[in-house]
Amino acid sequence: MEWLRLFFLHPVSFYQGAAFPFALLFNYLCIMDSFSIRARYLFLLAGGGALAVAAMGPYAVLVFTPAVCAVALLCSLAPWQVHKWTFCFQMSWQTLCHLGLHYTEYYLHEPPSVRFCITLSSLMLLTQRVTSLSLDICEGKVETASGIIRSRSSLSEHVCMALPYFSYLLFFPALLGGSLCSFRRFQARVQGSRGLYPRHCFWTLSWRGLQILGLECLNVAVSRVVGAGVGLTDCQRFECIYVMWTTAGLFKLTYYSHWILDDSLLHAAGFGSELGQSSGEEEYVPDADIWTLERTHRISVFARKWNQSTALWLRRLVFQNSRAWPLFQTFAFSAWWHGLHPGQVFGFLCWAVMVEADYLIHSFANGFIRSWPMRLFYRTLTWAHTQLIIAYIMLAVEVRRLSSLWLLCNSYNSVFPMVYCILLLLLVKRKHRCN
């Protein structure tokens, strides 16, 4: 059972697994109507606090502090001011924490603490929830909380009024991972009496458990292949393409299994999609759409479906509010949000160029490829090319360091993005000539 040992040796997987009984307990108590709405908020908040302390240790204060400050801003500012100030504070705080990681890795040349890495991951998810909530308030989708702090109510009344916000920002099923859950969906689930009934819960979680089992078995097999072969430092010519593809496959399998585990924890607590949708409640978007990701022949589709809830969040936060170069601004912000490591900056900007090329290439190809055999050949060729470009980007983002990035760029793997870059330049020139 090597897959099981490797899976639960991962710290986040261990803590997510430990949270499952409490998620099931919360769902059961909601079904039974065993405690009040306020008690539900407190249960989720207390669980988040306990999980943060257990997983992050003393670094948990780096998550608690911005959560408290975000609630203070939400409760004191006017609706039209909320998003600007919460966004600036949250991204400044997260950037300072990421700079601490840069200092440890690149200046001290020391491996960062595992607990600190978990904290940074949780902080990135907190940024999603804070900005999602502030946008909802700014757009009038959520009732404004301004004036709570300025009112003359007692401290206990202030805390009770702000409790839903504290609970949302730190609720334990989404603290260490999982799809972005909007505040409206969170509130509807907590205040509603519906839950995931035991029989449905059993089959849903069993199916996800089988998916994780299959992915982890594949992960072990691919790990052995990658471990037995050479790396980017020792590979030669076309051998580097195989090394890149298998290593990226290992990264993808790891992401898929963790996303399904995170999704399962949300479902166990009653925040999943199986319960149907109330009127006005936002749709649940899972992060892992493996079928689409592995069969698409378009880089733009892969970009929209990879970590879906984050892609939608970036679209809403950056893309829809950008007047010039929205695509590049979105990917540049994604690099900032991820920590601005050299490999991440290169990888995300490369991804933006590849998506832009993807739009032009497929628009041009769809205009003159008519026959069925040619379409099949074109789709197969672009599928293989898309998977290799994604593998290239994934390695750039994951290796992060300049030395490893240099090895990747100097290998034969750079041919695949270069082909798309050349086609992009030719098609842009053709487009201007036609105009």
Side-chain angles (χ1 to χ4, degrees):
M1 302 293 281
E2 185 183 353
W3 69 270
L4 190 63
R5 182 181 62 82
L6 290 173
F7 184 67
F8 283 104
L9 275 177
H10 193 282
V12 175
S13 299
F14 172 79
Y15 290 112
Q16 291 286 73
F20 256 92
F22 301 99
L24 292 169
L25 175 62
F26 174 78
N27 185 52
Y28 174 76
L29 293 173
C30 288
I31 294 171
M32 297 292 107
D33 276 336
S34 300
F35 58 170
S36 65
I37 302 298
R38 186 178 296 175
R40 296 178 187 185
Y41 283 126
L42 286 170
F43 186 97
L44 292 170
L45 177 59
L51 183 60
V53 171
M56 306 170 203
Y59 296 113
V61 71
L62 296 177
V63 173
F64 294 151
T65 302
V68 172
C69 292
V71 173
L73 290 171
L74 291 170
C75 296
S76 59
L77 297 173
W80 57 273
Q81 294 177 311
V82 163
H83 178 63
K84 178 178 71 174
W85 287 101
T86 53
F87 174 83
C88 290
F89 173 80
Q90 188 65 32
M91 284 306 298
S92 300
W93 182 272
Q94 183 181 303
T95 302
L96 285 173
C97 293
H98 270 126
L99 287 175
L101 180 64
H102 282 248
Y103 176 76
T104 304
E105 285 190 327
Y106 303 129
Y107 184 77
L108 298 179
H109 300 288
E110 295 176 357
S113 164
V114 173
R115 290 183 183 273
F116 184 60
C117 291
I118 294 173
T119 304
L120 283 178
S121 177
S122 181
L123 197 56
M124 290 167 67
L125 296 171
L126 178 65
T127 299
Q128 285 190 333
R129 292 192 293 278
V130 167
T131 51
S132 174
L133 176 54
S134 64
L135 278 172
D136 284 342
I137 292 173
C138 203
E139 294 169 4
K141 295 179 180 179
V142 171
E143 187 178 348
T144 178
S146 62
I148 290 179
I149 288 180
R150 292 192 297 268
S151 67
R152 294 185 178 181
S153 305
S154 65
L155 179 61
S156 60
E157 289 175 328
H158 284 157
V159 172
C160 288
M161 286 187 283
L163 180 60
Y165 303 114
F166 279 118
S167 185
Y168 171 66
L169 296 181
L170 295 172
F171 78 116
F172 73 89
L175 185 72
L176 301 181
S179 301
L180 175 61
C181 175
S182 71
F183 180 75
R184 287 187 295 164
R185 182 180 180 84
F186 169 80
Q187 201 170 33
R189 289 306 194 209
V190 173
Q191 295 179 357
S193 58
R194 294 180 305 157
L196 196 62
Y197 287 91
R199 181 179 294 180
H200 198 173
C201 183
F202 174 77
W203 290 113
T204 301
L205 296 180
S206 296
W207 169 238
R208 281 172 170 75
L210 287 173
Q211 288 178 306
I212 293 171
L213 171 62
L215 288 167
E216 285 302 311
C217 288
L218 275 174
N219 202 327
V220 170
V222 176
S223 297
R224 288 177 176 173
V225 171
V226 172
V230 295
L232 276 175
T233 51
D234 305 314
C235 66
Q236 307 226 345
R237 299 181 182 177
F238 294 104
E239 187 183 22
C240 294
I241 299 171
Y242 175 75
V243 170
M244 177 187 72
W245 182 73
T246 52
T247 308
L250 188 62
F251 287 135
K252 285 202 284 186
L253 288 169
T254 304
Y255 276 115
Y256 292 156
S257 60
H258 284 290
W259 284 341
I260 293 173
L261 176 66
D262 298 337
D263 185 58
S264 301
L265 183 60
L266 282 168
H267 278 76
F271 293 95
S273 58
E274 271 79 0
L275 305 175
Q277 221 175 295
S278 304
S279 58
E281 186 180 318
E282 293 186 356
E283 184 182 357
Y284 177 81
V285 180
D287 281 332
D289 186 356
I290 301 174
W291 174 250
T292 302
L293 289 169
E294 292 303 319
R295 70 184 183 90
T296 186
H297 68 297
R298 299 203 56 171
I299 295 173
S300 56
V301 173
F302 193 99
R304 288 194 297 271
K305 292 296 182 180
W306 178 263
N307 200 354
Q308 272 190 99
S309 65
T310 298
L312 290 172
W313 170 69
L314 288 168
R315 182 180 182 84
R316 183 188 180 197
L317 183 69
V318 184
F319 188 87
Q320 293 177 348
N321 295 307
S322 301
R323 295 179 181 177
W325 301 94
L327 184 69
F328 287 93
Q329 285 193 48
T330 303
F331 279 96
F333 175 80
S334 184
W336 179 22
W337 180 66
H338 279 87
L340 286 176
H341 292 271
Q344 291 172 340
V345 175
F346 173 81
F348 282 110
L349 292 180
C350 176
W351 201 347
V353 174
M354 295 300 102
V355 170
E356 191 66 38
D358 178 83
Y359 287 136
L360 290 175
I361 291 166
H362 289 286
S363 300
F364 176 75
N366 290 334
F368 76 90
I369 298 178
R370 302 292 183 187
S371 65
W372 181 82
M374 279 300 293
R375 281 191 175 275
L376 181 62
F377 173 74
Y378 167 75
R379 191 180 180 93
T380 305
L381 183 65
T382 51
W383 172 84
H385 203 97
T386 294
Q387 294 299 320
L388 288 167
I389 288 175
I390 291 299
Y392 183 87
I393 293 167
M394 193 167 291
L395 251 68
V397 170
E398 293 295 335
V399 296
R400 303 198 302 189
R401 291 176 177 274
L402 275 173
S403 56
S404 302
L405 184 62
W406 183 251
L407 287 171
L408 179 66
C409 293
N410 277 338
S411 68
Y412 274 36
N413 296 310
S414 295
V415 170
F416 303 109
M418 283 302 298
V419 169
Y420 262 38
C421 287
I422 293 167
L423 289 174
L424 174 63
L425 292 173
L426 292 174
L427 289 172
V428 167
K429 187 177 179 181
R430 178 182 178 274
K431 187 177 179 180
H432 284 308
R433 192 186 300 123
C434 290
N435 291 337

